[in-house]
Structures are given as structure tokens and as C-alpha cells.
Amino acid sequence: MSRTWWKWVIYAGSIAALIVSASFTIYCAWKVYAYHQPGEGAAAEAEKNAFHFVLVPEELDNDYWRLVEQGAKAAAKETGVYLEYAGPRQANIDEHIHILEKAAASKVDGIMTQGLTEKEFTPVINHIVEKNIPVVTIDTDAPTSKRTAYIGTDNYYAGFIAGRALEEDMHGKANVAIITGSFTASNQQLRVQGFKDAVKEEKGIHIVAVEESHITRVQAAEKAYNILKKHPEVNAFYGTSALDAIGIAKVVEQFHREKGTYIIGFDTLPETIRYLQKGTIHATVVQEPYEMGYRAVKMMVDIRKGNNVPSVINTETKVIRKQDLPLRPSRNYEVNHD
Ligand code: BGC
């Protein structure tokens, strides 16, 4: 074959390779372009759904609220929501309100928080809603506010079943001290009221003292200590917020009074479960904090999409005792639906 023929073969081959590689480059560039176009592809779909919600708890670093946060985060991940978790480091109503106002000023798409007190929370919730930002109350309702919905425990009922459990376990005879998270928070007031109503007919049950822990286990312990010093006749405690029974149990052990002292508390944090297993805490009222967070985010997405949501969703609550253990840790020791 002549040299000229070979030259032509090499020349034609190079042109073909050039055409193939240019087409490939154009195809890749088109793919990248199409991927970033709004309205096309999965990424754009996620972007379309990306609401910005804020969850404002009573206390940031509280194990109970961390469970609410976990649930909310799981739902946010599923729905492509950007979720912020912001609140006071330690329970403080002024700071709580200030954080709500800040969230509203930054024009988020929805706010989830408690309605701790009618006086302080109802006006701020109404103000947020008037700015077209929907509010879902969680854990504690503000029923007269303009919030769209409440998700959480029926706090009066929870207190009532705590009272009935104590009455049953103590066979209608007890000198009771109550340690409540707060005298002003409505969920705590309802838990105390429900309890009092449940035991009021029982002549053998006397409520000797009611003290406040400011939802800290340290103050719950301090108050339990003072009660046992001042009222040695106390043989039963009722703690109405997540850390109260833990503080009480510590003191009862210090006094070596585990045998003669009954404790009923709230929630199923790992420490509470350990005291329940050990027998220092006798019963606890189960709430569903993970579920509250999870469903609140899903509900807020529905609200933003214009779907109807029920105005009250009560998560489940019941009393558990040692014989009900183990609950499924995979469900954060929440209500066992089996
Ligand atoms: C209550 C919360 C509270 C928490 C404090 C829970 O039992 O439902 O409202 O913030 O206890 O530890």
C-alpha cells in the first residue's frame, strides 16, 4: 500500500476520534446543566420542598428535649426540611420568648414550641401567626392562641393516671410530696391538678408538700432533701417533669429510705429506667417525645402545603412499672404499642 493511502487512513481516524470525543464532552456538559436546572431531577425536587423550620424547646441540653429533636430531625431528613434547634441553655421564659421573636424576625417557614404560660406565650404566638408564620405547639399547648395545632401529651390525663397508680400501689394510704418542674408552666400545673383530682376522694392520701425544681435534677434533689428533713412522715413522692424523680431517687437512697418510700415520676430517660429496674423508682408516666418531634415536622410540612391538619393530636401516655420492662430501647422507651 502506498504512503499516501496510509496518510489518508490516519487523517480520517483522527477526525473520527475528534468527533467522538467532542460529542462526549457536549453530552457531559448537557447532563451537568440539566441537573442544576430548577424543576428537573431529584435534587431540584428536594430544593422545592426545602422549608426552614425552627424547633424551640424549653431547655436545649435536656435529655427529654434531645429526644424531641431526634424525632424532628428524622422527619426533616425524610421531607427535605432545613430544621434548626434553638432555645435557652437552661429553662428561662424571657430567653425562650426572645428566641421565638428572633426566629419570627428571620422569616422562617414554621415554628414549633411549647405554650408554657398563657400570659407570656399566647401573645407571642399570636404575633408570629399574624406574620404568616404557622406555629405548632408541642408538649405543652397554648389552647387560646392562634397556633394551628398541638401535638403532645394530654397533661391533665397524664397527671390523673399518675394519681390513680399511686393510690393503687399504696393501697389508698400515703403521705405524698409533689416536686413539680415549675409552678407556672401549664403542663406542670395540669399534671399536678390531674393527680390531685385522682386522689381527692381517698381519705388515706394526704398531700403534705408541693415544691418546684425548675426542671433540674439538682433542685429536685435539694427539695426532696428538705422535705424528708422537715416531713419525715412522707412515704411517697410524685415528680412531674423528666428529671424530678431522678433527683428524688438519689436523695431517697442517701437517706436509705428506698424500702419505705414510693416514687412515681415522668418519662423514660435511661436514668429513670435504671432506677425503675433497681426498684428505687416504682412507676413512671411514659410520654412520646420522639414521636412529638417527628409528627410536628410532618404536620408543619402539611400546613405549608395547605393540607388540613387536626388541631389537637394527643400522643400516647401510660404508667409503667418494673414488671413492664424491658420496653423497646429502639423506640426510646416510648409507649409499647404491642
Ligand atoms: C416535660 C417537658 C419538660 C421536661 C423537663 C418533661 O416531662 O414534658 O415539658 O421540659 O420534662 O425535663
Side-chain angles (χ1 to χ4, degrees):
M1 263 180 240
S2 74
R3 284 186 68 180
T4 327
W5 191 89
W6 272 113
K7 250 163 90 182
W8 275 107
V9 168
I10 290 166
Y11 184 64
S14 313
I15 290 193
L18 206 73
I19 290 171
V20 168
S21 95
S23 318
F24 184 69
T25 309
I26 290 167
Y27 171 77
C28 289
W30 178 81
K31 277 295 235 189
V32 170
Y33 171 79
Y35 182 77
H36 287 290
Q37 281 312 290
E40 297 212 13
E45 189 56 34
E47 228 174 83
K48 212 168 63 193
N49 288 337
F51 295 121
H52 177 183
F53 298 158
V54 187
L55 168 63
V56 186
E58 176 170 20
E59 185 168 271
L60 218 53
D61 253 333
N62 181 299
D63 291 344
Y64 171 89
W65 283 100
R66 288 287 175 199
L67 288 172
V68 178
E69 184 203 10
Q70 271 176 35
K73 271 197 171 151
K77 199 169 166 203
E78 279 174 28
T79 47
V81 159
Y82 173 56
L83 180 81
E84 250 184 287
Y85 178 67
R89 282 192 67 74
Q90 281 180 345
N92 178 311
I93 288 194
D94 291 340
E95 216 181 306
H96 194 148
I97 302 274
H98 180 66
I99 291 164
L100 287 173
E101 281 164 349
K102 250 174 62 186
S106 66
K107 298 198 173 67
V108 295
D109 300 307
I111 297 178
M112 293 158 290
T113 193
Q114 293 144 291
L116 281 174
T117 59
E118 166 99 33
K119 190 169 136 249
E120 281 104 346
F121 283 75
T122 299
V124 74
I125 289 174
N126 289 351
H127 181 67
I128 294 169
V129 174
E130 278 149 21
K131 288 180 144 190
N132 290 322
I133 300 173
V135 173
V136 168
T137 48
I138 184 167
D139 173 88
T140 312
D141 196 11
T144 61
S145 73
K146 294 181 179 162
R147 55 91 174 129
T148 309
Y150 166 65
I151 174 145
T153 302
D154 176 337
N155 286 298
Y156 178 84
Y157 172 75
F160 194 87
I161 58 174
R164 280 290 148 90
L166 179 139
E167 196 177 310
E168 195 185 317
D169 295 346
M170 297 296 285
H171 310 289
K173 272 201 176 80
N175 293 319
V176 186
I178 300 177
I179 298 188
T180 183
S182 151
F183 284 146
T184 49
S186 71
N187 63 340
Q188 302 296 304
Q189 289 174 336
L190 287 165
R191 291 175 193 180
V192 172
Q193 195 53 51
F195 180 91
K196 285 183 171 169
D197 289 350
V199 300
K200 72 174 176 222
E201 305 281 305
E202 195 60 78
K203 299 272 176 298
I205 294 188
H206 307 285
I207 296 173
V208 177
V210 186
E211 295 287 351
E212 193 185 24
S213 70
H214 298 106
I215 72 165
T216 73
R217 90 190 63 196
V218 174
Q219 288 195 50
E222 246 173 61
K223 299 294 163 75
Y225 182 92
N226 294 339
I227 289 169
L228 284 179
K229 283 269 177 213
K230 200 165 157 204
H231 303 283
E233 75 278 17
V234 163
N235 62 352
F237 278 95
Y238 167 44
T240 72
S241 70
L243 305 175
D244 296 336
I246 298 169
I248 297 166
K250 219 171 178 170
V251 170
V252 166
E253 285 188 353
Q254 257 172 32
F255 276 69
H256 304 293
R257 291 203 29 188
E258 303 94 304
K259 287 263 177 301
T261 314
Y262 176 87
I263 305 175
I264 180 162
F266 253 81
D267 299 301
T268 43
L269 299 182
E271 244 179 304
T272 312
I273 296 292
R274 276 197 293 277
Y275 277 123
L276 202 60
Q277 241 143 13
K278 217 171 148 190
T280 312
I281 291 179
H282 298 79
T284 193
V285 182
V286 181
Q287 297 197 87
E288 298 198 305
Y290 182 95
E291 191 75 8
M292 289 180 209
Y294 183 85
R295 292 174 72 179
V297 168
K298 291 265 170 138
M299 200 145 79
M300 192 62 97
V301 170
D302 271 342
I303 294 167
R304 293 291 343 186
K305 287 183 171 169
N307 300 335
N308 281 337
V309 297
S311 63
V312 174
I313 297 181
N314 283 135
T315 41
E316 288 201 47
T317 180
K318 69 174 181 183
V319 172
I320 58 153
R321 300 172 175 85
K322 189 178 179 175
Q323 62 265 30
D324 299 309
L325 297 177
L327 295 182
R328 280 180 297 170
S330 60
R331 276 194 53 93
N332 304 302
Y333 301 108
E334 292 187 353
V335 174
N336 197 340
H337 294 276
D338 294 342

